């Protein structure tokens, strides 16, 4: 029986022994060299590598490299070049050191004791050619500490309410202002020292005669607008000028009288009094913005307490009189014998009729009028009336 005819494309063996792989009818012969597919390239063609930057280009990038402003490719090129070119490597080191001086001021939170450590280290290696007098050092320190506190304040902090407190005629007084208002108060009262030294009065030629309260109220009422952060710069500049002036003035300037209106103080004591008030009001500001604030150093605190102790200024002439012993505890503490009978009496250990003991910070708060004599945590022994008189005398030193 004859089967169906076989097509040339049916895949069976042909004469001559060649076989055809079955495929779509009408397709070209796969074994035909003219129809064979071209092989794919093993990889895409790549552009030739670009030449490395020239020495001049790499040198021009050193400034950007020191500021970390180069791209990753530029950074690699510069650093590879620095391993081969000594002049560029030296220039790169100088630029990197210079960049370290361009950083903005650090906030108080980072290194609160940095300034004092740097100053101590610098002065230890090379003392200042014109040193600050010892009696002006507490003022210089406390104004710098307050200025550091103000450094990061924004507009909202400058307008934070602050209540100033003092003790007058055995009664507590207070005055509401702002952080900017407190700095204005310090500016105007420091102006008393400025005028005593022959410097410009921050209140100008229209400044009213009188003491701290009159000057402060004049400053607060001189403008219909609230005091702003702009007050920081004149206060800061005036403080620097005062310290610089007394540093160049010589020894005798410490005895120059500073008129406070109802009384006068030698310039040395006036600087210490201003340091005390600067610290107290810095504490007020820190409390208002809820920020911690440390007391002065022990030696400075001791001098402030010595100024505020009622025995200050009593002469050693006359017969021995009744005496109260004041013992201040903590940093800056010590003992003071206070004559009770008259300013001309001489304190006498044998005639001690009372003793008072309290913490140094609390005594300063009492002298600043921030706590009343009744509220002070006092250890006391002896004549109650004498103790009361001394505590109220300390509180009466406070004012606006």
């Amino acid at each position: 029986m004859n089967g169906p005819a076989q097509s040339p494309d049916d895949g069976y063996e042909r004469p001559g022994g060649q076989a055809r792989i079955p495929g779509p009818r009408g397709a070209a012969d796969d074994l035909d060299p003219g129809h064979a597919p071209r092989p794919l390239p093993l990889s895409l063609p790549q552009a030739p590598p670009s030449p490395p930057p020239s020495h001049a280009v790499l040198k021009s990038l050193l400034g950007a490299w020191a500021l970390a402003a180069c791209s990753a490719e530029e950074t690699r090129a510069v650093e590879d070049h620095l391993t081969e070119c000594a002049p560029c490597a030296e220039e790169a080191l100088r630029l990197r050191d210079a960049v370290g001086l361009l950083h903005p001021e650090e906030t108080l939170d980072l290194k609160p004791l940095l300034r004092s450590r740097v100053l101590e280290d610098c002065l230890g290696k090379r003392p200042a050619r014109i040193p600050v007098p010892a009696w002006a050092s507490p003022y210089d320190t406390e104004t710098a500490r307050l200025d550091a506190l103000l450094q990061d304040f924004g507009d909202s902090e400058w307008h934070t309410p602050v209540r100033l407190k003092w003790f007058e005629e055995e009664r507590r007084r207070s005055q509401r202002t702002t952080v900017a208002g407190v700095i204005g108060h310090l500016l105007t009262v420091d102006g008393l020292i400025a005028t005593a030294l022959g410097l410009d009065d921050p209140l100008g030629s229209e400044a009213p005669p009188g003491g701290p309260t009159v000057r402060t109220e004049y400053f607060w009422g001189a403008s219909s607008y609230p005091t702003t952060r702009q007050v920081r710069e004149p206060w800061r500049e005036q403080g620097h000028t005062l310290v610089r002036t007394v540093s160049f003035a010589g020894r005798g300037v410490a005895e120059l009288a500073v008129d406070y209106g109802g009384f006068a103080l030698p310039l040395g004591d006036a600087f210490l009094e201003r340091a005390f008030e600067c610290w107290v009001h810095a504490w007020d500001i820190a409390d208002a913005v809820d920020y911690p604030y440390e007391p002065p150093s022990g030696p400075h605190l001791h001098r402030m307490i010595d100024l505020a102790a009622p025995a200050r200024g009593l002469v050693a002439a006359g017969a021995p009189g009744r005496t109260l012993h004041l013992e201040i505890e903590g940093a800056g503490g010590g003992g003071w014998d206070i004559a009770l009978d008259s300013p001309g009496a001489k304190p006498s250990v044998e005639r001690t009729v009372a003793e008072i003991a309290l913490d140094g910070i609390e005594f300063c708060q009492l002298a600043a009028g921030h706590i009343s004599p009744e509220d002070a945590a006092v250890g006391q022994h002896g004549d109650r009336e004498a103790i009361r008189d001394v505590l109220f005398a300390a509180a009466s030193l406070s004012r606006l």
Side-chain angles (χ1 to χ4, degrees):
M1 181 182 290
N2 294 327
Q6 300 292 326
S7 168
D9 296 328
D10 58 6
Y12 288 94
E13 185 177 350
R14 294 194 186 101
Q18 291 182 344
R20 173 74 171 87
I21 299 175
R25 187 168 299 278
D29 193 340
D30 290 341
L31 298 178
D32 186 354
H35 294 280
R38 295 180 180 180
L40 294 175
L42 296 178
S43 61
L44 296 176
Q46 297 182 357
S50 58
S54 66
H55 173 85
V57 171
L58 293 171
K59 185 176 181 180
S60 69
L61 291 174
L62 291 180
W65 173 84
L67 292 169
C70 288
S71 67
E73 182 179 354
E74 292 172 335
T75 299
R76 285 194 298 271
V78 170
E79 292 178 351
D80 289 343
H81 179 66
L82 296 181
T83 63
E84 302 172 354
C85 180
C88 284
E90 293 178 2
E91 179 67 15
L93 288 176
R94 286 195 294 268
L95 291 172
R96 180 59 63 87
D97 291 340
V99 167
L101 302 175
L102 300 178
H103 289 293
E105 290 182 298
E106 296 181 344
T107 64
L108 191 64
D109 290 325
L110 294 178
K111 297 178 181 179
L113 298 179
L114 178 61
R115 181 181 184 276
S116 61
R117 289 201 298 266
V118 170
L119 285 176
E120 182 180 359
D121 183 64
C122 293
L123 294 176
K125 292 180 179 178
R126 186 173 64 180
R129 182 176 298 177
I130 306 296
V132 175
W135 45 265
S137 180
Y139 175 82
D140 187 35
T141 301
E142 293 308 314
T143 52
R145 291 207 305 143
L146 175 53
D147 188 51
L149 174 66
L150 302 174
Q151 172 182 297
D152 297 327
F153 277 19
D155 291 337
S156 59
E157 284 87 2
W158 279 97
H159 295 290
T160 301
V162 180
R163 184 165 293 278
L164 302 180
K165 296 174 286 187
W166 70 99
F167 205 78
E168 184 178 341
E169 297 179 353
E170 300 191 0
R171 293 180 58 189
R172 299 189 68 171
R173 308 282 185 174
S174 66
Q175 174 69 50
R176 188 178 184 274
T177 184
T178 63
V179 170
V182 174
I183 301 304
H185 166 59
L186 292 174
L187 170 72
T188 59
V189 183
D190 285 356
L192 294 171
I193 295 181
T195 56
L197 289 171
L199 303 173
D200 292 338
D201 191 325
L203 297 182
S205 58
E206 301 299 324
T213 301
V214 174
R215 292 174 59 86
T216 299
E217 291 176 347
Y218 174 82
F219 176 83
W220 286 344
S223 173
S224 57
Y225 299 98
T227 308
T228 68
R229 66 187 307 160
Q230 302 302 322
V231 74
R232 179 192 178 195
E233 190 58 35
W235 166 77
R236 178 183 186 179
E237 182 58 32
Q238 178 177 253
H240 291 168
T241 301
L242 293 178
V243 173
R244 184 167 56 249
T245 300
V246 298
S247 297
F248 281 91
R251 297 180 180 179
V253 71
E255 302 304 321
L256 182 68
V258 178
D259 185 8
Y260 277 74
F263 62 96
L265 287 176
L267 185 65
D269 287 350
F271 261 86
L272 190 55
E273 183 272 334
R274 299 312 302 144
F276 176 78
E277 185 168 358
C278 183
W279 162 52
V280 169
H281 288 324
W283 200 346
D284 292 334
I285 291 172
D287 183 64
V289 299
D290 195 24
Y291 197 92
Y293 201 77
E294 295 297 322
S297 65
H300 289 177
L301 184 60
H302 180 88
R303 295 180 62 185
M304 294 177 188
I305 295 172
D306 186 56
L307 179 67
R312 184 74 177 183
L314 296 180
V315 299
R322 294 184 310 134
T323 301
L324 180 141
H325 181 72
L326 174 64
E327 187 70 27
I328 302 297
E329 301 171 348
W336 285 263
D337 289 322
I338 302 170
L340 299 173
D341 292 327
S342 70
K346 182 179 179 180
S348 170
V349 176
E350 293 76 14
R351 300 198 59 183
T352 298
V353 297
E355 296 180 359
I356 297 176
L358 71 166
D359 178 73
I361 303 300
E362 190 162 21
F363 175 80
C364 290
Q365 291 289 289
L366 174 66
H370 282 44
I371 58 175
S372 67
E374 294 88 350
D375 295 333
V378 178
Q380 51 187 270
H381 173 73
D383 189 326
R384 296 302 181 105
E385 183 178 357
I387 293 171
R388 181 185 183 280
D389 290 344
V390 169
L391 294 178
F392 272 87
S396 67
L397 297 173
S398 63
R399 62 174 186 280
L400 174 62

